[in-house]
Each structure stands twice: as C-alpha cells, then as structure tokens.
Amino acid sequence: MKKIIIGNWKMNPENLILARKIFSEIKKLSKKFPKIDIVVCPPFVYLSDLKNKIDKVSSLKLGAQDVFWDNPETGSRPFTGEISASMLRDAGVKYVILGHSERRSMGETNEEVNKKIKIALGAGLTPIICIGEKEHDIDGKFFETLKIQIKDTLNKIKKSDLQKIIIAYEPIWAIGKNESESMKGEDLYQMAIFIRKILSEMFGQVEAFKTPIVYGGSVSPFNVKDIISEGHVSGILAGRSSLESQKIAEILDILSII
Ligand code: 13P
C-alpha cells in the first residue's frame, strides 16, 4: 500500500503568509518524494488560496478538517457557520478529516460523523475517519469503545466505498504529548489488527485489508520508524510536526527507506 503522511494543521498558523510559506516548503518536499502521498489539512480560510499552488499531477493534496453533514447543491439552507462538501470540492479539497477527538470533545457524535462520511463520499472526497480511546485501560475496555466507534461511524456505508476511506487511529491520550509518551509500534500493531478484524466482520476480509489505517498522536522524526515498521500501518496523521517543514522532511526521508 502507498505510504501517506497527513498533516492536520488544526487552528494554525496565525496568518495566510505563514500558511503559504509552510505549504510551499512542503510542496518542494513532495517533488523530492513523489512516491509518498502528502495531504495537508489547513484551516478552511486558507484552502482556496493554497489550491493555486497545487499541480494536478502532484502527490501533494489538500484536505479539510471537517465538513457539514448536509449538502445543499440547490437552494439555500439555514446553517450559519457551516461549510458544505461541494464548497470544499470547489476549493480544491480531496480529503476531509472527520470525527477528530477535538471535535468529538465539543459534542460531535458517531451518528454525525456517519452522516458526514456519506456526504463526503457523495462529493468524491476521501474521508479520514478518526477513532481512538481516551484511556488505554488495563482491562481492555478501550476495545469496546473502538468497536462502537467503527460500527456506528461506518453504519450503512457501502462495501464498495470502504476502499475510498482512510481510518486514522488516534488514541486521545497520545495526542499533544512528547514522543516518548506516544504509542509504541508493537502496541499499535495490536490495535491495527483489531481495527481490521472489526472491518472484516462488517465488510469482509478482502475489503478490510484494502483499507489504509494511519496512526496519529505525537508523531515526529524520533518515533515514525517504529510506528510504521512495527505498527504495520500505511502512514501517519501528524499535528504539530506537520507545521514544521524540517520535521516533515526528516519524516519523509525515513518513510522513503522503510
Ligand atoms: P500531535 O501530532 O500534535 O500530537 O496531534 C495529533 C493529532 O491530533 C492529529 O490529528
């Protein structure tokens, strides 16, 4: 499976000038590493501008950090502050992060994420669906949490659509920490097997094995080798590291040789 690095810029950087600078640096890197897919997910307001920097054939793509669950292709609808899937497509977006724990902590439910997945797929966007437990408790209750998240968010998704989806496993306890507190590759491997098991039960083994799983939670050049080689995942969803082109360069260097 092709490796992928997804950068979730969250509510950064401060202004468009900085966004253009980081994006241009990443664009240069994407030319050096054409075999690795790179997806940058900036705040909504920067998307249309950064779209102009992307060549059609590039391995660098734009992603959004959310989408609204309704898509009024015709007529107007009263959803103040929301952004539709067709607006994102028009802004050059190909991927969309859905169900990030920082949105779930503001009240987003599995049912809403499910509606957003359907809207994104309908618009030809690739959903990056975030799942992850708050705590990796010793009794293993987190398995049940993940199972419910997968079953509910992927409820009634067509089998043929599973290949158009990326699962981002982001344990909440590992986000925003230093690298030594991140998940270890061997533990991640267990989680990746568990996620594929649930996907197999829902969609069959063949489809489950075609679905890319990426890991997010304090990824940096320091731990990326362990995460990919020992965790057996297709790539990473990075927060802070994705805002520093030097770190992205180091991560790409490592990914290109493993
Ligand atoms: P950090 O890489 O900054 O821990 O953020 C992870 C994350 O939440 C990506 O979506």
Side-chain angles (χ1 to χ4, degrees):
M1 224 179 263
K2 208 170 168 193
K3 293 202 188 76
I4 183 163
I5 158 165
I6 306 163
N8 176 7
W9 283 5
K10 306 193 181 184
M11 203 172 70
N12 302 289
E14 275 296 284
N15 57 53
L16 179 60
I17 307 290
L18 271 173
R20 282 182 182 154
K21 179 177 176 288
I22 306 167
F23 197 75
S24 299
E25 289 164 1
I26 297 175
K27 185 179 168 181
K28 267 195 209 135
L29 292 169
S30 72
K31 296 216 159 103
K32 200 173 151 203
F33 298 96
K35 291 199 177 127
I36 300 174
D37 284 330
I38 306 176
V39 181
V40 173
C41 306
F44 290 131
V45 287
Y46 301 146
L47 288 167
S48 295
D49 186 88
L50 299 179
K51 172 190 176 185
N52 300 323
K53 294 195 184 297
I54 291 198
D55 323 321
K56 278 214 167 82
V57 290
S58 168
S59 57
L60 173 63
K61 301 275 186 283
L62 272 180
Q65 296 175 20
D66 193 20
V67 69
F68 190 55
W69 46 258
D70 199 1
N71 197 23
E73 297 272 6
T74 52
S76 75
R77 298 213 190 145
F79 296 117
T80 303
E82 298 294 354
I83 309 276
S84 75
S86 44
M87 290 173 192
L88 292 181
R89 210 179 36 205
D90 189 52
V93 167
K94 303 281 184 224
Y95 294 76
V96 57
I97 297 174
L98 297 176
H100 193 281
S101 56
E102 287 152 15
R103 299 212 61 79
R104 290 178 188 263
S105 73
M106 291 187 271
E108 189 169 71
T109 62
N110 286 332
E111 289 65 35
E112 279 166 326
V113 178
N114 176 258
K115 286 203 263 181
K116 291 178 177 186
I117 295 171
K118 289 174 184 156
I119 283 290
L121 286 168
L125 305 175
T126 301
I128 302 161
I129 304 162
C130 299
I131 54 168
E133 73 282 3
K134 277 202 183 93
E135 193 193 343
H136 210 65
D137 58 293
I138 199 142
D139 306 323
K141 292 203 188 90
F142 57 88
F143 283 120
E144 190 56 24
T145 308
L146 281 184
K147 186 171 167 181
I148 293 169
Q149 283 181 347
I150 298 169
K151 293 221 155 165
D152 290 356
T153 56
L154 295 180
N155 185 29
K156 298 210 172 89
I157 297 295
K158 283 192 245 136
K159 192 172 177 168
S160 56
D161 278 340
L162 193 66
Q163 289 174 44
K164 302 174 194 156
I165 283 171
I166 296 174
I167 303 285
Y169 171 57
E170 291 209 309
I172 301 169
W173 53 266
I175 295 177
K177 300 283 164 47
N178 74 46
E179 301 99 336
S180 58
E181 292 170 84
S182 171
M183 185 168 239
K184 302 288 170 285
E186 55 181 327
D187 297 332
L188 175 59
Y189 187 34
Q190 274 194 6
M191 300 313 296
I193 292 173
F194 178 75
I195 292 166
R196 285 209 198 284
K197 180 175 166 283
I198 305 296
L199 292 177
S200 296
E201 285 168 15
M202 292 178 75
F203 300 97
Q205 214 174 1
V206 177
E207 304 301 324
F209 274 85
K210 283 190 211 152
T211 310
I213 298 176
V214 300
Y215 167 82
S218 305
V219 181
S220 77
F222 173 79
N223 58 7
V224 71
K225 183 172 186 297
D226 175 58
I227 282 163
I228 301 292
S229 332
E230 303 302 318
H232 301 275
V233 288
S234 302
I236 56 156
L237 174 53
R240 289 156 298 162
S241 294
S242 71
L243 287 152
E244 291 180 53
S245 48
Q246 181 52 40
K247 286 200 173 157
I248 300 182
E250 287 172 46
I251 290 174
L252 285 166
D253 258 331
I254 297 166
L255 290 187
S256 68
I257 51 166
I258 52 175

